[in-house]
Amino acid sequence: MPVIAPMPAARHTRIPSQREGADDTMTMTAGTTVDHLTETYRAHYRSLLGLAALLLDDTASCEDVVQEAFIRVHSARSRVRDPEKTLAYLRQTVVNLSRSALRRRILGLKLLSKPMPDMASAEEGAYDQLERDALIKAMRGLQRRQREVLVLRYFADMTEAQVAETLGISLGSVKAYGSRGIAALRVAMEATA
C-alpha cells in the first residue's frame, strides 16, 4: 500500500496504485482543488455575472451561464494546472458559454417559421372580388374613349399628357373623357351597391 504524503492545499496530486501499469506510475495529475474553485467562484460571482451580462441580454441567462461555467470548470478542474488561473478558466468558460447561447438564439430565430403576411380573410377576399367584378362590368358599360382614358390614366398610371399622346387626342379631350368616365362609373357603381 503506498504512503500518501500531505500536499499543499493548492495542488491535488494523485499517486497511482500498484495495479496500474508501469507506464502510468510516472504520470501525476495536478489541478485546482474543489475548495479553491468554490472560493474563487464565490469571490468573483458578481464579476462573472457582469461579464455574462455584457454578452447576453437577460439576467436569467447570465445566471445560467455563470453556474454552467462553474460546473464545467469543476468537472475539468484537473486541467487547471495553476490554481492562480482558476479565475481565468471561469471567465473564459463564461465567454464561451455566452457565445454558444447567442448562437443558439440566432439559430432559433432563423428556424422559427416566418409569420404569414397580413392577408385578407376569405370573406374580405370575396367582397374584393365582387367589387372588382362590378368595376369591370361598369367599365365595360363606358364609351370606348372614356374607358381608354381611365384605363391609361389610373390603371397604367400615365399622366394626362402621356394619355393624350398615346391616344392621339388633345389634353382637353383627355380631361373631358376622364371626368365624364368617372361620373359614369360612380353612377354605375352606386346602382350595383
Side-chain angles (χ1 to χ4, degrees):
M1 190 99 189
V3 177
I4 300 175
M7 299 301 286
R11 294 206 181 263
H12 174 73
T13 306
R14 185 180 67 83
I15 309 246
S17 68
Q18 290 189 6
R19 286 187 219 150
E20 294 176 317
D23 294 336
D24 292 340
T25 57
M26 299 308 283
T27 60
M28 306 270 271
T29 306
T32 189
T33 63
V34 174
D35 291 338
H36 178 70
L37 176 61
T38 305
E39 287 173 23
T40 304
Y41 177 74
R42 284 184 184 151
H44 297 281
Y45 176 77
R46 289 198 183 272
S47 68
L48 293 170
L49 199 59
L51 176 62
L54 291 172
L55 300 170
L56 298 171
D57 55 354
D58 65 299
T59 308
S61 295
C62 295
E63 291 172 349
D64 291 344
V65 162
V66 171
Q67 290 171 6
E68 181 66 23
F70 173 74
I71 292 167
R72 292 211 181 168
V73 172
H74 182 275
S75 64
R77 67 186 178 279
S78 62
R79 286 190 246 156
V80 183
R81 303 263 184 238
D82 185 1
E84 297 301 317
K85 294 184 179 179
T86 303
L87 180 59
Y89 272 84
L90 281 169
R91 284 183 180 144
Q92 188 61 49
T93 305
V94 166
V95 169
N96 290 342
L97 290 172
S98 296
R99 286 178 184 159
S100 294
L102 287 174
R103 276 194 295 269
R104 280 191 304 274
R105 283 185 195 168
I106 290 169
L107 183 62
L109 290 173
K110 286 180 182 176
L111 294 178
L112 281 176
S113 62
K114 295 182 179 169
M116 293 295 291
D118 291 338
M119 295 178 65
S121 67
E123 185 177 288
E124 290 175 18
Y127 282 127
D128 289 345
Q129 185 63 43
L130 288 173
E131 286 179 0
R132 249 183 262 118
D133 291 346
L135 178 63
I136 291 170
K137 185 178 178 184
M139 289 287 286
R140 286 185 183 142
L142 295 177
Q143 294 177 6
R144 182 180 58 88
R145 280 286 185 202
Q146 290 174 349
R147 185 172 53 248
E148 290 172 348
V149 167
L150 291 179
V151 167
L152 292 175
R153 178 77 177 102
Y154 296 105
F155 293 101
D157 203 26
M158 291 183 170
T159 64
E160 290 175 337
Q162 290 172 328
V163 172
E165 185 180 333
T166 302
L167 295 178
I169 57 176
S170 69
L171 188 59
S173 295
V174 169
K175 290 179 182 182
Y177 285 126
S179 66
R180 287 186 204 129
I182 288 175
L185 273 180
R186 266 194 201 111
V187 170
M189 293 299 286
E190 288 174 2
T192 59

